[in-house]
Amino acid sequence: MQLDTFELKLPLAHPFTISRGTITEQSSLIVRLQADGISGWGEVTQNRYYDRTIESLKAAIELARPLLPQMMSEHPADMWPTLMETLGGDTFAVSALDMAAHDWHARKAGVPTWKYWGLTWNEVPQSSFTIAIDSIEKMLEKLNEQPNWPIYKIKLGTSNDIEIVRSLREATRAKFRVDANCAWTVDQTIKLSDELKELKVEFIEQPLPREAPEADHWRLHDGTALPIIADESCQTEEDVDKCHGLFHGINVKVCKCGGLTPAFRMLKRARELGMQTMVGCMVESSIAISAAAQLLPLLDYADLDGSALLASDPTKGVVVTNGQIQLSSELGHGASLPGCDSKPQAP
Ligand SMILES: [Mg+2]
């Protein structure tokens, strides 16, 4: 089995601001596993908040080279603990390899990845479109540029959060969800939850910091008018049980938890616990979005607009248009990076 990586600079359609900072371009690392004439694709993006650079990710992924023969013969879920150990627990780097391994094995088995897991594709949720923090005028502009999405996820954590939601609400009757990215306190969230409910917001994602005391989460869980979904507080498999009783649901990010293997298990566990399930994404190409889309049959909510936020996407795969997620006709995740066959970048 051959392993290649390709570095991409993905330009964003607009600068993307959340409560922690702004990006205008996303650095992404594409991973390709090749054997028997089949290519399996994975992706991971640079992330300053989680201290991952393209260099650190590449270096970690290189450690997997001795495992390639084993990755070809073993199911990705069986291979996952070995990958985690070999890559020093770097969930971001492991996720790209686990994604590519799933893609390769599903293609080899002649099925899409969701079918490789034995899932049934019935009714799956539509994706939201994210409106990042900006002046109200600019946020309205972003909404008006993408007017046909059924759901918008609004990033908050500013000094005028209610004013933002109220202004956007005047412009559309679509569903709203809000994400405060850890920027609020308990009392603030409880108060805002009443106002946001009146503005027809469906839920609040991660209002409190991950480090907030458990007692704060309890108080919020019991006092809020809207469901609270964990994101920063639910990064790995162990976090799911910890979030039970503190949050109403979890938002799983494939790169944070370490790939499709743990993401699949986290969503199953959350459903066993009676929690709502969601999969989110980074600003990333259609490769990572297509991989995450395989989890749709396990979801109540989807936030898979990462490639829709790009000015241009050199990859192809699942297409997300106005919330509708159209699978590709290809096997596996159905995604690839065209035109790179002859020029893998040197490690
Ligand atoms: Mg979030």
Side-chain angles (χ1 to χ4, degrees):
M1 182 172 254
Q2 191 184 322
L3 161 66
D4 297 305
T5 57
F6 306 88
E7 201 181 322
L8 299 180
K9 297 270 188 220
L10 304 169
L12 272 70
H14 295 282
F16 188 81
T17 302
I18 65 167
S19 62
R20 283 189 285 269
T22 302
I23 57 167
T24 55
E25 179 184 77
Q26 180 70 294
S27 297
S28 162
L29 190 64
I30 306 294
V31 169
R32 180 179 65 187
L33 295 173
Q34 268 186 323
D36 298 345
I38 297 168
S39 296
W41 298 90
E43 177 179 13
V44 62
T45 55
Q46 182 160 292
N47 195 313
R48 265 179 285 169
Y49 179 68
Y50 293 102
D51 205 18
R52 299 309 202 286
T53 61
I54 293 296
E55 291 66 38
S56 77
L57 292 164
K58 257 185 174 176
I61 286 166
E62 281 305 311
L63 299 172
R65 267 189 205 284
L67 301 175
L68 293 174
Q70 206 184 336
M71 286 178 75
M72 211 175 136
S73 59
E74 277 193 31
H75 189 288
D78 296 331
M79 198 59 218
W80 192 81
T82 313
L83 271 179
M84 277 292 280
E85 199 187 325
T86 309
L87 273 64
D90 186 337
T91 49
F92 283 70
V94 169
S95 79
L97 286 162
D98 179 75
M99 227 182 249
H102 268 103
D103 192 27
W104 188 86
H105 279 275
R107 285 178 194 257
K108 178 87 177 161
V111 289
T113 308
W114 58 269
K115 207 175 254 184
Y116 182 67
W117 286 323
L119 297 176
T120 311
W121 198 276
N122 287 330
E123 218 169 283
V124 300
Q126 294 181 307
S127 172
S128 50
F129 181 81
T130 303
I131 305 206
I133 295 174
D134 214 320
S135 65
I136 293 184
E137 200 184 17
K138 286 259 170 61
M139 289 175 89
L140 276 166
E141 232 173 75
K142 286 176 195 169
L143 177 85
N144 291 328
E145 260 177 39
Q146 301 277 347
N148 298 318
W149 289 69
I151 314 155
Y152 295 92
K153 182 164 119 170
I154 307 162
K155 292 283 190 179
L156 297 178
T158 70
S159 55
N160 59 344
D161 286 336
I162 288 295
E163 211 186 322
I164 289 174
V165 180
R166 193 168 290 132
S167 304
L168 293 173
R169 177 46 82 213
E170 280 166 17
T172 176
R173 298 179 68 184
K175 273 186 197 167
F176 281 172
R177 298 163 183 169
V178 301
D179 185 356
N181 286 106
C182 310
W184 294 345
T185 64
V186 183
D187 292 327
Q188 196 182 2
T189 311
I190 291 175
K191 185 173 174 292
L192 286 170
S193 72
D194 286 317
E195 298 173 87
L196 292 169
K197 193 178 179 183
E198 287 205 356
L199 290 165
K200 304 265 182 280
V201 169
E202 196 174 14
F203 63 70
I204 302 171
E205 192 177 316
Q206 193 77 36
L208 307 185
R210 180 179 163 89
E211 311 73 41
E214 223 173 72
D216 282 9
H217 288 291
W218 275 331
R219 195 152 70 80
L220 177 59
H221 182 272
D222 296 344
T224 174
L226 289 173
I228 307 290
I229 306 290
D231 180 1
E232 284 85 345
S233 288
C234 190
Q235 295 178 24
T236 61
E237 273 184 279
E238 305 76 62
D239 291 332
V240 181
D241 279 69
K242 287 184 205 160
C243 285
H244 182 229
L246 304 182
F247 293 88
H248 302 90
I250 58 165
N251 178 5
V252 173
K253 303 269 177 71
V254 174
C255 64
K256 287 192 211 169
C257 68
L260 294 170
T261 293
F264 182 81
R265 293 195 293 235
M266 288 167 82
L267 295 166
K268 288 230 159 192
R269 178 64 184 149
R271 286 212 154 163
E272 273 169 27
L273 292 168
M275 298 172 83
Q276 293 169 354
T277 56
M278 170 171 175
V279 164
C281 62
M282 300 295 171
V283 175
E284 52 200 1
S285 83
S286 291
I287 289 183
I289 297 297
S290 301
Q294 306 303 311
L295 297 160
L296 277 163
L298 294 170
L299 303 186
D300 298 308
Y301 312 116
D303 181 29
L304 296 176
D305 63 343
S307 57
L309 298 169
L310 300 174
S312 63
D313 182 1
T315 67
K316 64 183 182 77
V318 162
V319 177
V320 187
T321 319
N322 294 330
Q324 293 288 347
I325 300 168
Q326 293 163 260
L327 291 178
S328 128
S329 56
E330 279 186 47
L331 302 173
H333 314 327
S336 59
L337 174 61
C340 64
D341 282 343
S342 55
K343 44 174 182 171
Q345 291 166 351

